[in-house]
Amino acid sequence: MADVLWGLATSHVPSIGAAMDRNKTEDPNWKDLFDGYAPAREWLAEHEPDVAIVVYNDHANGLDLDIVPTFGIGTADSYPVADEGYGPRQVPDVIGDPELSLHLLESLVDEGFDLTVFQELEVDHGLTVPLSVWTPDPGDAWPCPVVPILVNVIQYPQPTAARCFALGQALGRAIRSYRDDVTVGILGTGGMSHQLAGSRAGFINPEFDHMWLEKIETDPEALARLSREELIREAGSEGIELIMWLIMRGAMHEQVTKVHSHYFLPASNTAAGIALFDNRTA
Amino acid sequence: MTAAPPLIPTEGTSMSTHETGGRLNVPGTPIFDGQTSRRGLRLNKMLMSFRSAENRERFAADEAGYCTEFGLAPEQTQAVLDRDWTAMIDLGGSIFYVYKLAMMDGRSMQYLGGVFTGMTEEEFQAELRAGGRRDG
Ligand SMILES: [Fe+2]
């Protein structure tokens, strides 16, 4: 039986990728962030899964606003790295796992989650920065194939936190019903609190973020009860993307073991968080 | 150890998860909703086109003509030509799309944050480094 090996929640701020791409990880403005990643990276290097699922959102690179799918899944052999306006990041293209994608899709549709199918998709920092957080030096290839799951967090109404958590739970069941005996790493990306526009731009809420970091482990149902309005008010208009962490968490067991977490600000305009959980039952 | 605080400290506001109809009102916070996205569709499509170097060059050669080609409303074109970032947001621009134009101008998200909050880029950056801005 396939199962989730670990879950990694992480911000996907573009400047984190840029700091790595430009060798600025020892820069005083960044050092604490990357030092904070180190224990997670060490553990992850020793626990390589067969395949990873990355839950993320696109930022005007792979999709535009003609079509705004609430949830989507990539089913391609590979996903080119998008040019976001200054040339693509110099990181490997992302290899897909279409067979797993199609299995997940069918299981999820059977459970009432009607995901939009992406047969072609260019992936942006929302997906590649979390891969870099996991694997700073991928060389020619990322550690394993990737299944992208997309969530609309840009245009209101975003899916509710409750719906994201339920999707995660269905995703967990779909993974466990896969015929192959594969291990899966799941990444929930985005956040933490931030707001980019309006007179409240620059808003950051560390109290909320610390609450979120704790509850994502111990009481995700409580987070799943937050309304969109509460999320926008407390986490900022862009911080609402934290709902994607709930998809990751829903796919994991009720009890997980925290391997490591770290909180840092600011990464550009954003509070950045990382939380790594071992899904194996002791 | 302190007692567990409520998940979110409330100020007596409605906590309904399923409110429909009325638009969200969070002070100082533009909500990029369906009506905003309808208003901004042409503008955002133009901003999206800047992913290609060829289009960036065509825009640079004739900004107003490029806006016309994409069918922008006159006030949207004016906001683009004036680099009136606040107006672009007010006229339906999504911050992720508007940022593409800012990047072409060599502007950072902290610069835009300063514009939205009436600060210089340095002041805005300093507030972020000091732990970010709070409500009010
Ligand atoms: Fe995002």
Side-chain angles (χ1 to χ4, degrees), chain A residues 10 63 81 168 195 241 258 268:
Chain A
T10 173
L63 286 65
V81 175
Q195 176 160 327
E241 69 181 356
K258 183 162 89 174
S268 315

Side-chain angles (χ1 to χ4, degrees), chain B residues 7-27:
Chain B
L7 200 55
I8 288 179
T10 59
E11 292 141 47
T13 51
S14 159
M15 301 288 277
S16 168
T17 317
H18 300 291
E19 268 177 35
T20 50
R23 300 185 56 171
L24 272 194
N25 184 15
V26 180

Side-chain angles (χ1 to χ4, degrees), chain B residues 114-125:
Chain B
V115 170
F116 297 140
T117 56
M119 280 184 250
T120 66
E121 179 172 1
E122 291 70 27
E123 287 164 346
F124 186 78
Q125 177 103 28

Side-chain angles (χ1 to χ4, degrees), chain A residues 12 57-59 125-126 153 190-191 194 238 241 244, chain B residues 96:
Chain A
H12 59 216
N57 71 286
D58 179 79
H59 307 78
H125 65 263
V153 296
H194 65 299
E238 278 67 46
E241 69 181 356
M244 294 187 288
Chain B
F96 297 104

Side-chain angles (χ1 to χ4, degrees), chain A residues 118-141:
Chain A
F118 288 82
Q119 300 219 67
E120 290 185 357
L121 175 66
E122 291 184 14
V123 291
D124 74 359
H125 65 263
L127 186 135
T128 64
V129 167
L131 292 182
S132 293
V133 169
W134 164 15
T135 306
D137 300 303
D140 292 339

Side-chain angles (χ1 to χ4, degrees), chain A residues 18 29 44 47 61 66 73 79 92 95 108 112 127 130 133 152 164 166 171 180 227 263:
Chain A
N29 290 325
L44 287 164
H47 297 84
N61 295 303
D66 288 6
I73 186 168
Y79 305 94
I95 304 301
L108 290 169
L127 186 135
V133 169
N152 164 44
C164 289
L171 181 62
D180 289 343
S227 68
Y263 183 69

Side-chain angles (χ1 to χ4, degrees), chain A residues 131-205:
Chain A
L131 292 182
S132 293
V133 169
W134 164 15
T135 306
D137 300 303
D140 292 339
W142 297 108
C144 64
V146 169
V147 173
I149 291 188
L150 294 117
V151 184
N152 164 44
V153 296
I154 287 182
Q155 181 170 317
Y156 187 96
Q158 295 86 350
T160 62
R163 187 69 174 158
C164 289
F165 189 59
L167 170 60
Q169 291 174 312
L171 181 62
R173 289 188 289 273
I175 292 166
R176 291 189 291 276
S177 72
Y178 194 43
R179 56 178 170 70
D180 289 343
D181 201 17
V182 301
T183 55
V184 178
I186 179 161
L187 292 89
T189 76
M192 300 188 77
S193 61
H194 65 299
Q195 176 160 327
L196 299 175
S199 62
R200 200 171 73 135
F203 173 78
I204 286 176
N205 187 345

